[in-house]
Amino acid sequence: MSERQGYVVWLTGLSGAGKTTIAEALAERLRAVGQRVEVLDGDVVRQHFSKGLGFSREDRLENIRRVAYVAHLLARNGVAVLVALISPYREGREYARNLIGDFLEVYVKCPIEVLVQRDVKGLYAKALRGEVANFTGISDPYEEPLAPDLVLETDRESLEESVARLWSALAQRGYVPDSVPSGDGRR
């Protein structure tokens, strides 16, 4: 694997499915093997370079376009980019794939019932009561990927299992060595 080869892992799924948790755990392991890594988290992105965008379909697609452009720039400069973004529309994810090229779409899948139980912020409860408009998966659509490169079912597998499966998918593409380092930087 070339040290300069960048790529994008695009983690899509509903709020609370585990996208950011998986991205952060993977980032730690990638750094342990000497890769330059950036995590583009949906919440952080919204605060910084998508501030002012709402939650209409067009605004959500614009958010995805902006994130895809930044991810593309980073990847072409040798960075492993981990995008943790709901990205509810297939059209937006396809745009990202076409722009970026070295792209792995990962569907972080979790049933809505489990997400409601996990919901520490109470957002699902509010959305179910009609108090939050345009909430993806409740009052706004989420278009599941039709042919993702990998599906991680976070209600059925541990964080370690998800990261190991994702590492294996990256190794098959030549982005990482075959063996996954432990979470503390040791092999």
Side-chain angles (χ1 to χ4, degrees), residues 85-106:
L85 191 69
I86 293 171
S87 43
Y89 304 117
R90 290 184 194 112
E91 173 188 347
R93 296 188 304 265
E94 194 58 32
Y95 171 87
R97 179 186 297 277
N98 291 334
L99 175 67
I100 294 163
D102 288 312
F103 182 94
L104 187 81
E105 182 182 39
V106 179

Side-chain angles (χ1 to χ4, degrees), residues 68-116:
Y69 181 71
V70 171
H72 170 67
L73 290 177
L74 289 166
R76 80 174 192 202
N77 284 286
V79 177
V81 184
L82 312 178
V83 175
L85 191 69
I86 293 171
S87 43
Y89 304 117
R90 290 184 194 112
E91 173 188 347
R93 296 188 304 265
E94 194 58 32
Y95 171 87
R97 179 186 297 277
N98 291 334
L99 175 67
I100 294 163
D102 288 312
F103 182 94
L104 187 81
E105 182 182 39
V106 179
Y107 178 23
V108 182
K109 185 176 181 179
C110 189
I112 196 86
E113 309 78 51
V114 175
L115 295 173
V116 169

Side-chain angles (χ1 to χ4, degrees), residues 51-81:
K51 200 172 195 168
L53 289 180
F55 292 92
S56 68
R57 180 179 179 89
E58 190 48 49
D59 281 357
R60 288 176 190 257
L61 287 170
E62 178 59 27
N63 185 48
I64 292 168
R65 285 190 288 268
R66 290 178 186 184
V67 172
Y69 181 71
V70 171
H72 170 67
L73 290 177
L74 289 166
R76 80 174 192 202
N77 284 286
V79 177
V81 184

Side-chain angles (χ1 to χ4, degrees), residues 7 9 11-12 17 22-23 25-26 29-30 82 104-110 148-181:
Y7 55 90
V9 176
L11 298 133
T12 179
I22 291 167
L26 179 61
R29 287 158 181 82
L30 292 170
L82 312 178
L104 187 81
E105 182 182 39
V106 179
Y107 178 23
V108 182
K109 185 176 181 179
C110 189
D149 298 296
L150 181 64
V151 177
L152 301 176
E153 296 185 65
T154 59
D155 63 315
R156 298 179 181 196
E157 56 194 43
S158 70
L159 174 60
E160 287 301 319
E161 289 169 325
S162 292
V163 172
R165 291 187 58 230
L166 183 46
W167 189 275
S168 178
L170 293 172
Q172 287 174 357
R173 291 173 176 233
Y175 295 142
V176 298
D178 286 335
S179 63
V180 59

